[in-house]
């Protein structure tokens, strides 16, 4: 079912600018729960991050981001 009108609404600028300082991104390594994909007579194993939503991915496929600071600054919005 398609929502109507949500793309045609006039978008106003957001009242705050958000800046994040990333300290580290930790790769988890190879997938520990690969998913089997079948198409006709062919089968293939792919990493779970290519098929599953984030909450069902293994710990190795999830990206862990460490943020040091998050700052919000009021932005000047022209009327």
């Amino acid at each position: 079912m398609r929502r109507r009108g949500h793309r045609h609404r006039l978008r106003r600028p957001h009242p705050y600018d958000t800046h994040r300082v990333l300290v580290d991104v930790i790769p988890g390594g190879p997938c520990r729960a690969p998913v089997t994909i079948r198409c006709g007579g062919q089968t293939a194993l792919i990493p779970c991050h290519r098929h599953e939503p984030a909450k069902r991915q293994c710990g190795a496929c999830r990206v862990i981001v460490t943020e040091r600071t998050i700052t919000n600054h009021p932005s000047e919005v022209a009327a």
Side-chain angles (χ1 to χ4, degrees):
M1 181 176 190
R2 184 177 163 211
R3 291 187 210 169
R4 294 180 183 216
H6 75 280
R7 289 184 183 199
H8 302 289
R9 291 184 188 149
L10 179 62
R11 292 187 180 188
R12 291 180 278 182
H14 198 277
Y16 289 95
D17 275 338
T18 303
H19 297 278
R20 297 176 182 192
V21 177
L22 299 182
V23 176
D24 197 10
V25 176
I26 303 168
C31 181
R32 294 187 291 249
V35 178
T36 302
I37 301 295
R38 293 179 185 85
C39 183
Q42 300 284 332
T43 61
L45 281 175
I46 63 171
C48 65
H49 72 87
R50 293 185 59 201
H51 189 267
E52 301 294 333
K55 65 182 178 181
R56 292 195 335 219
Q57 292 175 5
C58 71
C61 285
R62 285 192 203 127
V63 176
I64 299 170
V65 177
T66 305
E67 296 174 340
R68 182 173 44 187
T69 59
I70 300 173
T71 57
N72 292 317
H73 299 285
S75 62
E76 295 180 21
V77 179

